[in-house]
Coordinates of all heavy atoms in Angstrom, one line a residue:
M1 N 4.6 -3.9 19.7 CA 4.2 -5.2 20.1 C 2.7 -5.4 19.8 O 2.4 -6.5 19.3 CB 4.5 -5.4 21.6 CG 4.2 -6.8 22.1 SD 2.4 -7.0 22.6 CE 2.4 -5.9 24.1
L2 N 1.9 -4.5 20.1 CA 0.5 -4.7 19.9 C 0.1 -4.7 18.4 O -0.8 -5.5 18.0 CB -0.3 -3.5 20.6 CG -0.4 -3.6 22.1 CD1 -0.9 -2.3 22.7 CD2 -1.2 -4.8 22.6
V3 N 0.7 -3.9 17.6 CA 0.5 -4.0 16.2 C 0.9 -5.3 15.6 O 0.2 -6.0 14.8 CB 1.2 -2.8 15.4 CG1 1.0 -3.0 13.9 CG2 0.6 -1.5 15.9
T4 N 2.1 -5.8 16.1 CA 2.6 -7.1 15.6 C 1.6 -8.2 16.0 O 1.3 -9.1 15.2 CB 4.0 -7.4 16.2 OG1 4.9 -6.4 15.8 CG2 4.5 -8.7 15.8
Q5 N 1.1 -8.1 17.3 CA 0.2 -9.1 17.8 C -1.1 -9.1 16.9 O -1.7 -10.1 16.6 CB -0.1 -8.8 19.2 CG -1.2 -9.7 19.8 CD -1.5 -9.3 21.3 OE1 -1.1 -9.9 22.2 NE2 -2.3 -8.2 21.5
A6 N -1.6 -7.9 16.6 CA -2.8 -7.7 15.8 C -2.7 -8.3 14.4 O -3.6 -9.0 13.9 CB -3.2 -6.2 15.7
V7 N -1.5 -8.1 13.8 CA -1.3 -8.7 12.5 C -1.2 -10.2 12.6 O -1.9 -10.9 11.8 CB 0.0 -8.1 11.9 CG1 0.4 -8.9 10.6 CG2 -0.1 -6.7 11.6
T8 N -0.5 -10.8 13.5 CA -0.3 -12.2 13.6 C -1.6 -12.9 14.0 O -2.0 -14.0 13.5 CB 0.8 -12.6 14.5 OG1 0.6 -12.0 15.8 CG2 2.2 -12.2 14.1
D9 N -2.4 -12.3 14.8 CA -3.7 -12.9 15.2 C -4.6 -13.0 14.0 O -5.4 -13.9 13.9 CB -4.4 -12.0 16.3 CG -3.8 -12.3 17.7 OD1 -3.0 -13.2 17.8 OD2 -4.2 -11.5 18.6
R10 N -4.5 -12.1 13.1 CA -5.4 -12.0 11.9 C -4.9 -13.0 10.8 O -5.5 -13.0 9.7 CB -5.6 -10.6 11.4 CG -6.6 -9.9 12.3 CD -6.4 -8.4 12.3 NE -7.4 -7.8 13.2 CZ -7.3 -7.8 14.6 NH1 -6.2 -8.3 15.1 NH2 -8.3 -7.3 15.3
M11 N -3.9 -13.7 11.1 CA -3.5 -14.8 10.1 C -4.1 -16.1 10.5 O -4.0 -17.1 9.7 CB -2.0 -14.9 10.1 CG -1.2 -13.7 9.6 SD 0.5 -13.9 9.7 CE 1.1 -12.3 9.1
A12 N -4.8 -16.2 11.6 CA -5.3 -17.5 12.1 C -6.4 -18.0 11.1 O -7.2 -17.3 10.6 CB -5.9 -17.3 13.5
G13 N -6.3 -19.3 10.8 CA -7.4 -20.0 10.1 C -7.3 -19.8 8.6 O -8.3 -20.2 7.9
A14 N -6.2 -19.3 8.0 CA -6.1 -19.1 6.6 C -4.7 -19.3 6.1 O -3.8 -19.3 6.9 CB -6.5 -17.7 6.2
T15 N -4.6 -19.6 4.9 CA -3.2 -19.9 4.3 C -2.9 -19.0 3.1 O -1.8 -19.0 2.6 CB -3.1 -21.4 3.9 OG1 -4.1 -21.7 3.0 CG2 -3.3 -22.3 5.1
S16 N -3.9 -18.4 2.5 CA -3.7 -17.6 1.3 C -4.1 -16.1 1.6 O -5.2 -15.8 1.9 CB -4.5 -18.1 0.2 OG -4.4 -17.3 -1.0
F17 N -3.1 -15.2 1.5 CA -3.3 -13.8 1.9 C -3.0 -12.8 0.8 O -2.2 -13.1 -0.1 CB -2.4 -13.5 3.1 CG -2.7 -14.2 4.4 CD1 -2.2 -15.5 4.6 CD2 -3.5 -13.7 5.3 CE1 -2.6 -16.2 5.7 CE2 -3.9 -14.4 6.5 CZ -3.4 -15.6 6.7
A18 N -3.6 -11.7 0.9 CA -3.2 -10.5 0.1 C -3.1 -9.3 1.1 O -3.6 -9.4 2.2 CB -4.2 -10.2 -1.0
V19 N -2.5 -8.2 0.6 CA -2.3 -7.0 1.5 C -2.6 -5.8 0.6 O -2.3 -5.8 -0.6 CB -0.9 -6.9 2.1 CG1 -0.7 -7.9 3.1 CG2 0.2 -6.9 1.0
H20 N -3.3 -4.8 1.2 CA -3.4 -3.5 0.5 C -2.0 -2.9 0.7 O -1.4 -3.0 1.7 CB -4.4 -2.6 1.3 CG -5.8 -3.0 0.9 ND1 -6.9 -2.7 1.7 CD2 -6.4 -3.5 -0.2 CE1 -8.0 -3.1 1.1 NE2 -7.7 -3.6 0.0
L21 N -1.6 -2.3 -0.4 CA -0.2 -1.7 -0.4 C -0.3 -0.3 -1.2 O 0.1 -0.2 -2.3 CB 0.8 -2.6 -1.1 CG 2.2 -2.5 -0.6 CD1 2.4 -2.8 0.9 CD2 3.1 -3.5 -1.4
S22 N -0.9 0.7 -0.5 CA -1.1 2.0 -1.1 C 0.2 2.8 -1.1 O 0.3 3.8 -1.8 CB -2.2 2.7 -0.4 OG -1.7 3.1 0.9
G23 N 1.2 2.4 -0.3 CA 2.3 3.3 -0.1 C 2.2 4.2 1.0 O 3.1 5.0 1.3
G24 N 1.0 4.2 1.7 CA 0.9 4.9 2.9 C 1.4 4.2 4.1 O 1.8 3.1 4.1
L25 N 1.4 4.9 5.3 CA 2.0 4.4 6.5 C 1.2 3.1 7.0 O 1.9 2.1 7.3 CB 2.0 5.4 7.6 CG 3.1 6.4 7.7 CD1 2.8 7.5 8.7 CD2 4.4 5.6 8.1
D26 N -0.1 3.2 7.0 CA -0.9 2.1 7.6 C -0.7 0.8 6.8 O -0.3 -0.3 7.4 CB -2.4 2.5 7.6 CG -2.6 3.8 8.3 OD1 -1.9 4.0 9.3 OD2 -3.5 4.5 7.9
S27 N -1.0 0.7 5.5 CA -0.9 -0.5 4.8 C 0.6 -1.0 4.7 O 0.8 -2.2 4.8 CB -1.5 -0.3 3.4 OG -0.7 0.6 2.6
S28 N 1.5 -0.1 4.6 CA 2.9 -0.4 4.5 C 3.4 -1.1 5.8 O 4.1 -2.1 5.8 CB 3.8 0.8 4.2 OG 3.4 1.4 3.0
L29 N 3.0 -0.6 7.0 CA 3.4 -1.2 8.2 C 2.8 -2.6 8.4 O 3.5 -3.5 8.8 CB 3.0 -0.3 9.4 CG 3.4 -0.8 10.8 CD1 4.9 -1.1 10.9 CD2 2.9 0.1 11.9
I30 N 1.6 -2.8 8.0 CA 1.0 -4.1 8.1 C 1.7 -5.1 7.2 O 2.0 -6.2 7.6 CB -0.5 -4.0 7.7 CG1 -1.3 -3.3 8.9 CG2 -1.1 -5.4 7.5 CD1 -2.7 -2.9 8.5

């Protein structure tokens, strides 16, 4: 729940996004 909240909160105020996608756990979960 907290990780989901952290991700959605960081979408505020923007419309165009990119993600790091290294294939590791951290970037993949985000």
Side-chain angles (χ1 to χ4, degrees):
M1 181 275 290
L2 286 170
V3 174
T4 301
Q5 174 182 260
V7 171
T8 55
D9 280 353
R10 280 156 183 77
M11 295 178 180
T15 58
S16 178
F17 294 84
V19 291
H20 283 154
L21 208 59
S22 68
L25 273 170
D26 302 328
S27 63
S28 298
L29 179 57
I30 289 169

